[in-house]
Amino acid sequence: MTSIFTVDAVNERITAEEVIKTFTMDKVHFGEYDETEIEVTEDGAFELIHTYSYTSASEEIDVGCLSHLAIGTADFEEVQEITVSLSESEEATDSTDEETEESGSEYFLIKSGEQYYTIADGELHEVEIDTLCAEDFATYGFSDIPASEYLVGLESPEIFYWTDEDNGKILTALCTAYHYPSYITSCIDMSHESILGISLMTAQYSSDVMIQYSLDDGENFTDEISFYDFLNIDTD
């Protein structure tokens, strides 16, 4: 910033020191945050990550092929939707122009914690299984990919897919969920002797953003207040 002084005469030495500083927090000048919970959008906005993907792994079983899909939700405050899909594995042979043979048997089971579940008559039902084997799928398994409504209410649901074919399939899941409130921390250095206070605070934001601030280098923080109330604090 440039200052221009116009005078007719100066009889004494004049010293002028002007310090104006703007503190900014955006996608270029960002604070500290957990990148596993918060992302910066193309528009430069901080946003909670809310879409997570999971892929199954093959596991040993006495007969057939088993795919195990584990969906960890313990760290989420809210799980809105879990969409599961099934696709051919890399080992599966490509289909030919000839008429394919009828596919073999395939079943699903669900697990949460130590409890297994099946779906019957549109509801989840507990089933008693000690060591998972192919016979359990024939006895308790269900044939349709489980819908989101059966999974979102379970903590860290696991989905097991079994088939008697030589090549298994891959389960994938897209989970729409939100972490517990996550913090972005930024330090505004106002230690220069020329800085006497705050003249103006502005921000662009959406949704319910809450603020806590400290005036003693992070030793103590205020209670949470809304961003609107924070921007309208009397700075005098």
Side-chain angles (χ1 to χ4, degrees):
M1 181 172 181
T2 303
S3 297
I4 300 176
F5 296 89
T6 303
V7 296
D8 293 330
V10 176
N11 294 324
E12 297 180 4
R13 177 175 293 179
I14 296 177
T15 301
E17 181 180 0
E18 186 174 5
V19 177
I20 298 177
K21 189 168 185 179
T22 299
F23 300 96
T24 304
M25 188 182 76
D26 56 21
K27 67 178 180 179
V28 178
H29 313 88
F30 51 80
E32 297 178 0
Y33 61 92
D34 188 339
E35 295 183 4
T36 66
E37 300 179 3
I38 297 173
E39 63 183 352
V40 181
T41 68
E42 294 181 355
D43 298 328
F46 294 97
E47 183 179 68
L48 283 174
I49 298 173
H50 58 276
T51 302
Y52 299 85
S53 61
Y54 302 87
T55 303
S56 64
S58 298
E59 293 187 357
E60 295 293 331
I61 195 168
D62 56 337
V63 177
C65 292
L66 178 64
S67 296
H68 177 203
L69 175 64
I71 305 171
T73 62
D75 293 333
F76 298 138
E77 181 180 28
E78 178 186 7
V79 179
Q80 294 185 343
E81 185 176 22
I82 299 175
T83 303
V84 179
S85 58
L86 188 65
S87 60
E88 297 288 345
S89 65
E90 294 181 358
E91 292 78 12
T93 55
D94 296 331
S95 58
T96 63
D97 295 334
E98 300 177 1
E99 185 175 344
T100 58
E101 297 180 1
E102 185 177 351
S103 59
S105 300
E106 55 182 17
Y107 297 103
F108 296 89
L109 283 170
I110 299 172
K111 184 181 181 184
S112 177
E114 298 300 319
Q115 181 63 58
Y116 286 90
Y117 297 88
T118 188
I119 297 175
D121 300 325
E123 295 181 352
L124 279 175
H125 296 274
E126 296 182 358
V127 293
E128 296 299 325
I129 296 175
D130 293 326
T131 302
L132 191 62
C133 63
E135 185 177 353
D136 294 322
F137 287 92
T139 304
Y140 304 113
F142 53 94
S143 57
D144 294 327
I145 296 175
S148 177
E149 62 188 275
Y150 302 112
L151 303 174
V152 293
L154 299 175
E155 182 173 342
S156 298
E158 303 172 53
I159 303 168
F160 294 88
Y161 166 80
W162 176 86
T163 178
D164 60 2
E165 295 182 336
D166 293 335
N167 295 301
K169 295 183 179 180
I170 297 174
L171 285 169
T172 56
L174 285 179
C175 178
T176 302
Y178 291 89
H179 279 273
Y180 290 92
S182 191
Y183 291 92
I184 303 172
T185 304
S186 182
C187 179
I188 299 175
D189 183 4
M190 297 180 62
S191 61
H192 194 281
E193 61 184 8
S194 69
I195 301 176
L196 303 179
I198 300 171
S199 61
L200 179 66
M201 295 187 294
T202 62
Q204 291 181 328
Y205 67 98
S206 61
S207 189
D208 298 325
V209 180
M210 306 299 290
I211 296 290
Q212 290 179 282
Y213 62 92
S214 169
L215 301 177
D216 55 6
D217 198 23
E219 292 293 328
N220 299 282
F221 282 86
T222 65
D223 293 334
E224 286 188 350
I225 60 174
S226 70
F227 213 153
Y228 176 84
D229 289 340
F230 175 71
L231 295 175
N232 287 277
I233 291 176
D234 186 358
T235 58
D236 293 335

